Amino acid sequence: MDNDSKFDGESARVMMKELRETYSTGKTKSYEWRICQLNNLLKIAEFHEPEILQALHSDISKPEFESFVHEIWLIKTSCKLAIKELKRWMKPEKVGTTLVTFPSSAEIVAEPFGVVLIISAWNYPFLLSLDPVIGAIAAGNTVVLKPSEVSPATSSLLAKYIGEYMDSSAVKVVEGAIPETSVLLEQKWDKILYTGNSKVGRIVLAAAAKHLTPVVLELGGKSPIIVDSDIDLKIAARRIISGKWGCNNGQACISPDYIITTKDFAPKLVDSLKLQLLKFYGEEPLKSDDLSRVVNSNHFNRLIKLLDDDKVSGKIVHGGQRDIVNLKIAPAILLDVPEDSLIMNEEIFGPLLAIVTVDRLEESFNIINSRPKPLAAYLFTNNKKLKEKFVGDVSAGGLLINDTTLHLTVPTLPFGGVGESGMGGYHGKFSFDTFSHKKAVMYRSYLGDASERYPPYTTRKLRFLKAVMNGSFLDIFRAILGWP
Amino acid sequence: MEELSRSVSELKQTFNTGRTRDVEWRKAQLKGIIKLLDENELQIFQALERDLGKHPVEAYRDEIGVIKKSARFTLSSIDKWVAPTKKQVPLLFYPSKGVVMPEPLGIVLIFSSWNFPFTLSLDPLIGAVSAGNTVVLKPSELAAECSAFLSKTIPLYLDCKAIKIIEGGVEVAEKLLQQKWDKIFYTGNARVARIVMSAASKHLTPVTLELGGKCPAIFGSLSDGDMKVAIKRIASGKWGPCSGQACVGIDYILVEHQHASKLIDLLKKTIKKFYGENMGSLKNLCKIVNKHHFNRLHNLLEDPAVAASIVYGGSLDEQNLFIEPTILLDPPVDAVIMVEEIFGPFLPIITLDDIHESIEFINSREKPLTIYAFTKDESFKKQILAETSSGSVTFNDTFVLNACDNLPFGGVGESGFGRYHGKYSFDTFSHEKAVLERTFYFELEGRHPPWNDFKLQFIRLAYNYDYFGLVLLLLGLKRKFT
């Protein structure tokens, strides 16, 4: 992509024409092409670690560790899984048929949609760009990737290496901001996968509606943690911290957003969190290299506003120190925040952890269910009944008991939201499925053609029809013989 | 509008009580649907006859029978479907349990269509209640008797605080679309589908769109015997379902020049046998649903080039809204009849030099809901599957695919997205929630900050599921980075 030339409507049309032509040649459907592209994508992750780390550091001061673990290695694992399983995924799935269509055979054939658009986010700019691309390519589509402009170094890196390693007649990167995204959304795509917030999610869905384009929306929400008292507090605290501040300093769609615990237990929980936070990030967390910064001053100001909200003054029990120059905020815990405070009414997406206290833990379900459905919900408990109620009553994209965020790394579990947290899902084979159209195919022969299905319609034919549709051999027999 | 909001509130309240999640409740609704059909068969036949002139055999085959089968299949499978599905979790996370658990979406809106007013209302309803949702069903006002019947009768058999029928036309539909739904299921045309999806986007409501398109039938070389059977299937697949007013009805045929006249001759004979010798003695055929569609179809024939291509039929009875089965041979491919979905009893036959050209012909148009291909040539079948795209494909028959509970039914591109039938109906109205359960044993310290080289090595090995390496590392035996 030439940085000097504007990406406008005409550029988009030309690009779409090229992609459709590429697609119509059929080459992206071949197993060989898909494997080759996946292998090339893997090379980007394998051969350019230092550049990727550097870009992620530049964009969000992401600790090297997190860059390795949450971005590079997740992509490598995802890619390797697709390479290993692709033959199996591409195989048609045979399905059984019944008496009603006897004799027949049937199968479901996966085919690509065609030309797909992937719009990525800034918090995991490498992962959230390439993981969907892996799925799209594995399914045989041509792809346009639009990385987030809020993470410009990674966006540039992706444009460069995708251009170098991938088949540029089929896989393209369009960099830019709102104007470029708007131009892209005017085009007719065969599928769109968007990762981001629900406000833009609505815009994407509305644009897709003009072309009847199916969409996957990976959004966010306020992911709650219910913390019971009868647990291994040290391990729980460490897992909470890892999932909250260890994931991009709280800037992750499945970061724990707020905790609900009993009034009695809250002080113990806070103490344990404080102790572990000290162990993780030291006396001066603002100076720790193991914490991402806040991505930009917009978000920094937004988070400060949450901290400085009148309704939560006096509620900060830990941290919250700020370094405006380096856009850092130290891990902050707020205790007993009122439900109508700002911090409890928007997704925090930052290093602030709100704790809401209740008399009885059972009250947490009402609190959670009175809010929009989140992408994830967590529960720390050893109580079987509580676990059952949690799983049965709480609706979220995914649930995790006694840990945080890990479920994202299990490829056999679909990753996606519900309600305000999104629609559709991906990861593992679900990525392949989400970018495939599953075509139903029925094979019939000319043997055994039942004249009963054709006009002229008679009472006898009706009887036969009823018998076949009821699956009753006896009734069929009687209908054929004309018995009552 | 207020009444509508009240209805929606009531449905929310019902959903919040949790009773629609109970499997016994769901089974009771399914049994209610079967009972409704069993006890009202005659009234249903009557309503369909009045709205569409549908013959009882057609009504049973395409509506009552289909719904009963669907409800029974769902009843016999629902215990399996609601159970969480165990998923394998990497050993690294031992001990952990992973499941995918289906849960209802909440309050769903179903828009039905007029051509199969029972099937297209009750089949999605079966999916919605089996998945544990509360439902508003809006039947099509163009099949007024059927809509009235559903409105009056469903509350007698199903939980009326959880399932509501709201009748009406465009205005009512618009008001419904202003509400916030957890899912919308729409059957109809692509123009209105855009309106539905656009309204849904304001609330991030997922939608399933079951649309239509120009469904082609590719007619290859067949033996005489096979050809006779094929023609019967084509005739009954074209005019049998609602006189061509069906989303999966054959829209046009593609055939080689050399077979065209034989095809047409056999078709004429079959039409006469199935549907009557001429306009005056038409039978076993639905009428056109209303004046608007009748005029639309009439106008398709007004084009002189199209009229000149009629080789059979072409007569219309405006008073009774009947149009006889009509065959056209090679109308201009840019005439409206070859551009828009016909949705009526006209069957254009397009001739080609080589039947393999049918693939390009189909691909130059929007993706249809289904493609039919009458051929025994295995490599041609493979080519059709690989090189065309449609919701589904049926070889050597018409219409039967919809009766297969194990096959997903839905479109792609302009013919829609999402799918249903069988378990797909249950899935389409469910949210598949991922659930991972961990314990406090075997904490992997390597995953927590502060970071150091040991932890990096630990995680690197963990990602490769290199358990042996991990053990060595933990025992202090592995020093080098790989």
Side-chain angles (χ1 to χ4, degrees), chain A residues 97-158:
Chain A
T97 55
T98 64
L99 182 66
V100 177
T101 56
F102 181 81
S104 62
S105 64
E107 62 185 4
I108 300 171
V109 171
E111 61 178 33
F113 277 111
V115 182
V116 314
L117 173 64
I118 292 165
I119 301 176
S120 172
W122 53 261
N123 55 341
Y124 289 86
F126 191 73
L127 174 69
L128 297 176
S129 298
L130 294 186
D131 211 2
V133 169
I134 289 169
I137 289 175
N141 299 281
T142 56
V143 186
V144 170
L145 166 65
K146 157 81 189 60
S148 171
E149 70 282 12
V150 179
S151 47
T154 312
S155 173
S156 242
L157 176 142
L158 286 166

Side-chain angles (χ1 to χ4, degrees), chain A residues 406-471:
Chain A
L406 272 191
H407 60 299
L408 180 145
T409 64
V410 178
T412 50
L413 293 175
F415 183 75
V418 62
E420 282 290 307
S421 52
M423 56 181 79
Y426 69 128
H427 285 188
K429 182 170 186 285
F430 301 102
S431 295
F432 176 86
D433 291 342
T434 222
F435 285 105
S436 298
H437 163 54
K438 298 295 183 87
K439 186 161 72 178
V441 184
M442 172 157 276
Y443 298 89
R444 296 265 294 160
S445 73
Y446 294 102
L447 300 170
D449 189 46
S451 67
E452 281 74 10
R453 53 184 280 200
Y454 304 116
Y457 297 133
T458 63
T459 321
R460 188 176 147 272
K461 284 186 181 179
L462 179 55
R463 271 188 68 200
F464 179 82
L465 193 65
K466 281 188 178 182
V468 170
M469 294 187 94
N470 289 341

Side-chain angles (χ1 to χ4, degrees), chain A residues 111 238-239 242 395 412, chain B residues 88 103 194 389 443 445 448:
Chain A
E111 61 178 33
R238 290 162 79 82
R239 290 178 179 180
S242 271
S395 182
T412 50
Chain B
Q88 213 184 10
E103 59 175 29
R194 281 168 166 81
S389 182
E443 179 62 336
E445 287 302 321
H448 300 305

Side-chain angles (χ1 to χ4, degrees), chain A residues 66 70 225 233-250 255-256 259 269-281 290-291 318 331 333 353 380 403-405, chain B residues 447-451:
Chain A
E66 284 187 41
H70 298 160
I225 315 183
L233 186 50
K234 178 176 166 202
I235 291 181
R238 290 162 79 82
R239 290 178 179 180
I240 290 171
I241 296 171
S242 271
K244 172 70 177 183
W245 294 284
C247 285
N248 219 17
N249 211 4
S255 251
I259 288 179
L269 175 60
V270 170
D271 282 341
S272 186
L273 285 170
K274 282 183 182 179
L275 179 61
Q276 299 304 327
L277 275 168
L278 192 62
K279 289 200 175 147
F280 281 25
Y281 304 115
D290 290 339
L291 282 170
H318 182 85
I333 302 175
L353 180 64
F380 281 84
D403 213 326
T404 59
T405 69
Chain B
R447 51 184 283 210
H448 300 305
W451 306 126

